[in-house]
Amino acid sequence: MEKTLALLVTCCLLLSATALKLPDFVKKCSLKDPEFNACALKNAREALPHIVNGLKKFQIPVLDPLIVEEIRAVDGQIDMAGLNVRVEGIRNAILESIRSHPAREFCEAGWHRHTDRSNTLSVHSFDFDQKKIAAEVVVPEAHFSGRYEVKGKLLTLPLSGNGPFNSTFYHLYVKYVTTFDLTKHDDGHVYLEPKEYKVHFQPKNVKAHLGNLFNGNTVLGDIMNQFINENWREVLQELGQPTYDALGLVVHKILNNTMRVVPYKDLFDDTD
C-alpha cells in the first residue's frame, strides 16, 4: 500500500520537546479514503503558506528565507563551506499533484525525472510496505547567498578564497527519499523514525559569483567566476553531491525532530 504527502506536510508542524495540538489549519486524511491523494493534496496546499511563514509556537523557523548556519562540502581535492547561508524561493513552489508510485520502481530504475513544468511539487511515494517516503520538488528560482570559504582544486584548477557569494538555481528539481521504521517508545506510543536518506538536485541552469577569490585578485577572480558559470554542469558533478547531502541533512533533521514528538497515530485520521 502506498500513501503520500500528508505526513511530509504534518511533520513540519511540530518541532518542540512536548507534543502540541495541531493547528486548526492542519487537516488530516483517512488512510481508508479512496481519494486519499486528493485529500492530501488539498490539505497540503492549505497548510503550506502557514508552514513557509514559520510558526514560533511550534519552533518552526521561517522557511523562506531559510537560514542555514553551515553547509560544508569536502570531496577529494577541495574543501568548501557556505556560512550563514540564506535560501530564498521556497514560497514559490506549488503543490501540483500527489500520486502513488511503487518504491521498487525508483529503486530499480533510478531517479524518476519530474515532468518538465516549473513551479511544481509532486510526491510519488509513501510506501508503507517497503517503508520509504519519496518527495519531488521543483522550484522556479532558488537563490542562495552568504559567505564562503574554499581551498583546494576545482576540476584540476587551484581555487582559494573567502568572502560573499550568491547563486541562483533555475528550475531546480529536488528529490528526497528516506526509509523509516515504526518504533514503540517508552511512553507507549508508536513513532515513525526516519532512517537513511538520499537526495538529488538537478537545475536547468545556474548562475553564481564568489567574491574575494585568490585574496582579492580581481583578474583571477573574474576568470574563475566566468569558468564556473560556463562549466556549471561539470562543477556540480564534482562538488554537487556533497553539497546536496548537506542540504538534505537539514531536511532530514527537521523530519527526525518532528517525528520524535508526533505519535504515528496522530498523523492520520484512522491509525492506532
Side-chain angles (χ1 to χ4, degrees):
M1 174 178 66
E2 288 95 19
K3 299 296 180 182
T4 49
L5 181 64
L7 174 67
L8 289 181
V9 172
T10 305
C11 76
C12 294
L13 298 173
L14 293 173
L15 292 175
S16 60
T18 59
L20 299 175
K21 182 181 178 181
L22 291 175
D24 292 339
F25 62 80
V26 179
K27 299 178 177 63
K28 296 187 289 186
C29 298
S30 168
L31 293 177
K32 298 176 183 178
D33 184 352
E35 299 298 327
F36 177 90
N37 287 347
C39 173
L41 176 59
K42 177 179 179 296
N43 293 349
R45 281 176 169 167
E46 293 176 356
L48 185 59
H50 299 275
I51 298 172
V52 169
N53 290 329
L55 292 169
K56 291 184 178 180
K57 179 178 179 181
F58 297 94
Q59 299 183 32
I60 299 176
V62 174
L63 300 180
D64 191 352
L66 174 66
I67 307 299
V68 183
E69 290 185 4
E70 179 176 312
I71 300 173
R72 184 167 294 276
V74 180
D75 187 18
Q77 300 184 75
I78 196 164
D79 185 339
M80 189 169 189
L83 307 174
N84 295 318
V85 178
R86 180 184 177 97
V87 185
E88 300 172 277
I90 296 174
R91 70 174 61 253
N92 293 324
I94 295 175
L95 302 178
E96 184 184 66
S97 64
I98 300 173
R99 300 186 296 271
S100 296
H101 184 71
R104 62 178 178 275
E105 291 186 19
F106 63 72
C107 288
E108 293 172 357
W111 293 105
H112 171 71
R113 186 65 176 93
H114 193 278
T115 181
D116 186 16
R117 297 181 183 179
S118 64
N119 214 29
T120 64
L121 178 150
S122 66
V123 174
H124 284 250
S125 180
F126 194 117
D127 191 313
F128 285 91
D129 294 329
Q130 298 193 33
K131 295 184 178 180
K132 285 186 174 67
I133 305 169
E136 292 177 300
V137 182
V138 174
V139 182
E141 292 187 13
H143 304 281
F144 299 82
S145 60
R147 298 193 64 82
Y148 78 93
E149 298 174 352
V150 64
K151 60 180 178 180
K153 289 186 177 181
L154 177 63
L155 300 175
T156 73
L157 298 177
L159 180 62
S160 65
N162 62 82
F165 84 91
N166 61 78
S167 62
T168 301
F169 285 57
Y170 297 93
H171 196 86
L172 177 62
Y173 165 85
V174 183
K175 183 162 186 176
Y176 167 84
V177 180
T178 183
T179 59
F180 66 86
D181 286 333
L182 297 177
T183 305
K184 191 171 185 177
H185 288 192
D186 293 339
D187 61 4
H189 293 301
V190 173
Y191 292 82
L192 186 149
E193 294 186 352
K195 297 297 183 182
E196 296 180 357
Y197 77 94
K198 184 176 181 181
V199 65
H200 173 71
F201 284 52
Q202 184 179 333
K204 280 195 170 182
N205 195 14
V206 175
K207 297 296 182 183
H209 184 269
L210 304 179
N212 197 46
L213 283 170
F214 305 108
N215 294 319
N217 187 318
T218 56
V219 175
L220 293 179
D222 289 346
I223 292 173
M224 178 55 72
N225 275 302
Q226 182 178 351
F227 175 82
I228 291 172
N229 282 279
E230 290 178 351
N231 300 275
W232 64 266
R233 290 182 179 84
E234 290 78 8
V235 171
L236 289 184
Q237 186 173 357
E238 181 161 324
L239 284 180
Q241 197 57 52
T243 304
Y244 303 157
D245 289 341
L247 287 170
L249 183 59
V250 174
V251 176
H252 198 67
K253 284 182 176 179
I254 291 175
L255 185 60
N256 267 287
N257 290 340
T258 304
M259 292 301 95
R260 290 193 186 104
V261 297
V262 182
Y264 175 74
K265 68 181 180 62
D266 293 334
L267 298 174
F268 305 101
D269 270 340
D270 49 10
T271 53
D272 298 320

